[in-house]
Amino acid sequence: MQTIGEPRTMQAWADATRARGERIALVPTMGALHEGHVALIAEARRRARRVVVSIFVNPIQFDRRDDFARYPRTLEDDAARCAAAGVDVIFAPSPGAMYPDGFQTAVEVSALTEPLCGKVRPGHFRGVTTVVTKLFHAVRPHLAVFGEKDWQQLAVVRRMTADLDFGIEIVGVPTVREADGLALSSRNRRLGPEDREAARCVPRALDAAAEMAATGETRPAMIVARARMEIAAEPRAQLEYAELRDPETLEEVEEATAPALLGVAVWVGGVRLIDNRLLVPVECEGRSARSGRAPDGPPGAVEAERGSARFGRRGPGASEEAERGGAARAPDGPPGSLGGQDR
């Protein structure tokens, strides 16, 4: 495994690798790697001969300076984890290498970036799409792998990649969770013991909403209210948003009679946690909530979600039964569309 810090050096490696006819997979990250990232790397390894993990804490996607300053940076530990996972190259550029003096260009996706996180973090997705574009040009991958925990990010990257004719396959990997259901995130390490316990209200809220949808409730207001109730019951948690959206377009849904995405953002102890759940009505035949079409995503995604609606993909410590329930994988992520860039 080698570490590369300059975009031009990375491009030279990529050109030589492509000339040998070898497929390159990119796993974009901001470091502080965990088992969720390892799952992304494993999927990349399954699909390509060479795997590149980018590690770059992207300053232009943070809307708060203190959040950027506090974001964990653990390059040495990350390198050891990458080596153990069979990564070929770590691309770890400096901010100056990515944004040299005089840099003034941005890449922006419009409608998909407006709701959910885009509504409360102005400029965030412009920073994401700009850095992902630069990573794509540096690594020149055949495919890139992102986590479904950042469902909106994955949808935005898919849209950008299609609109700008990158010719790169975008692969989504289901969220990896702790044994108690909390989605793995680099931000979790900033939670103290009491806040870590309080953070369990997030998966509880998603579970409660999923159970309502599975038993016949179709009114978005009622489903969202149930999720809000779980968050409100935890005094250490502050809800930022809980919304039911079409998984393809991220538009609001009027009735949850087809798979619908429940996205939440919750502050616990000064740490912002995001998560989501694809809610699947029992009678649903795989239609999207807005159009009545099967989502443009993984074959069998609805059945996989039914099997893993409560647990998701589990990390270390999960029971064997939970692991079996959550292992059904939806390889191509959000229809129509970062572990990628962990937010």
Side-chain angles (χ1 to χ4, degrees), residues 288-302:
S288 79
R290 185 179 71 89
S291 64
R293 301 189 311 272
D296 177 25
V302 171

Side-chain angles (χ1 to χ4, degrees), residues 66-125:
D66 62 327
D67 194 23
F68 172 69
R70 295 172 58 195
Y71 199 89
R73 293 160 171 82
T74 57
L75 184 57
E76 185 175 340
D77 291 343
D78 293 343
R81 193 179 284 270
C82 284
V87 170
D88 295 283
V89 174
I90 293 175
F91 178 46
S94 66
M98 292 294 278
Y99 307 116
D101 289 343
F103 186 90
Q104 53 186 291
T105 300
V107 178
E108 191 163 9
V109 175
S110 55
L112 283 172
T113 65
E114 293 172 2
L116 303 172
C117 287
K119 183 168 59 178
V120 295
R121 301 186 71 187
H124 168 74
F125 284 113

Side-chain angles (χ1 to χ4, degrees), residues 14-173:
D15 288 344
T17 300
R18 279 176 165 266
R20 295 193 298 270
E22 297 177 344
R23 279 171 59 81
I24 301 170
L26 169 65
V27 180
T29 83
M30 293 206 299
L33 303 185
H34 49 65
E35 289 301 315
H37 295 108
V38 172
L40 305 184
I41 294 169
E43 184 64 21
R45 173 60 67 197
R46 190 177 75 81
R47 292 171 176 260
R49 172 70 174 169
R50 299 297 180 190
V51 175
V52 178
V53 172
S54 64
I55 297 177
F56 179 64
V57 183
N58 179 33
I60 67 171
Q61 73 183 64
F62 286 82
D63 56 332
R64 295 171 52 198
R65 289 186 178 181
D66 62 327
D67 194 23
F68 172 69
R70 295 172 58 195
Y71 199 89
R73 293 160 171 82
T74 57
L75 184 57
E76 185 175 340
D77 291 343
D78 293 343
R81 193 179 284 270
C82 284
V87 170
D88 295 283
V89 174
I90 293 175
F91 178 46
S94 66
M98 292 294 278
Y99 307 116
D101 289 343
F103 186 90
Q104 53 186 291
T105 300
V107 178
E108 191 163 9
V109 175
S110 55
L112 283 172
T113 65
E114 293 172 2
L116 303 172
C117 287
K119 183 168 59 178
V120 295
R121 301 186 71 187
H124 168 74
F125 284 113
R126 181 175 57 194
V128 170
T129 46
T130 299
V131 76
V132 169
T133 296
K134 290 182 67 66
L135 291 173
F136 283 176
H137 285 311
V139 179
R140 300 181 179 177
H142 295 82
L143 63 101
V145 184
F146 294 80
E148 289 180 3
K149 183 178 76 68
D150 297 312
W151 186 288
Q152 185 177 17
Q153 174 179 270
L154 180 49
V156 168
V157 170
R158 281 189 186 278
R159 182 77 270 156
M160 178 193 74
T161 302
D163 288 352
L164 299 184
D165 303 313
F166 277 108
I168 297 171
E169 178 186 3
I170 305 300
V171 177
V173 174

Side-chain angles (χ1 to χ4, degrees), residues 61 116-118 120-121 124-125 147-154 175-177 181-188 199 202-203 206 239-241 262-268 271-277 338-339 341-343:
Q61 73 183 64
L116 303 172
C117 287
V120 295
R121 301 186 71 187
H124 168 74
F125 284 113
E148 289 180 3
K149 183 178 76 68
D150 297 312
W151 186 288
Q152 185 177 17
Q153 174 179 270
L154 180 49
T175 303
V176 179
R177 299 182 179 277
L182 184 67
L184 287 177
S185 170
S186 301
R187 296 179 185 274
N188 290 355
V202 177
L206 297 177
L239 181 68
E240 186 173 80
Y241 69 73
L262 176 62
V264 300
V266 180
W267 288 87
V268 181
V271 178
R272 185 176 186 269
L273 304 175
I274 63 170
D275 206 342
N276 63 73
R277 180 68 53 83
L338 64 96
Q341 300 287 105
D342 199 345
R343 297 189 269 124

Side-chain angles (χ1 to χ4, degrees), residues 209-340:
E211 288 169 4
M212 286 190 74
T215 55
E217 180 59 69
T218 62
R219 293 168 294 177
M222 297 300 293
I223 294 171
V224 170
R226 184 68 184 88
R228 288 175 172 272
M229 186 183 304
E230 287 292 334
I231 303 299
E234 173 48 64
R236 303 182 74 88
Q238 181 178 351
L239 181 68
E240 186 173 80
Y241 69 73
E243 299 181 17
L244 203 61
R245 296 274 171 169
D246 181 275
E248 290 186 58
T249 66
L250 301 185
E251 295 175 359
E252 290 183 299
V253 299
E254 295 181 359
E255 190 175 14
T257 55
L261 181 76
L262 176 62
V264 300
V266 180
W267 288 87
V268 181
V271 178
R272 185 176 186 269
L273 304 175
I274 63 170
D275 206 342
N276 63 73
R277 180 68 53 83
L278 190 64
L279 306 186
V280 184
V282 172
E283 70 280 5
C284 175
E285 297 298 329
R287 302 181 306 276
S288 79
R290 185 179 71 89
S291 64
R293 301 189 311 272
D296 177 25
V302 171
E303 292 304 320
E305 185 62 30
R306 284 175 181 159
S308 62
R310 183 167 182 81
F311 298 105
R313 179 182 286 191
R314 295 296 185 142
S319 69
E320 183 178 353
E321 179 180 359
E323 181 66 31
R324 285 199 301 269
R329 187 176 51 80
D332 289 330
S337 51
L338 64 96

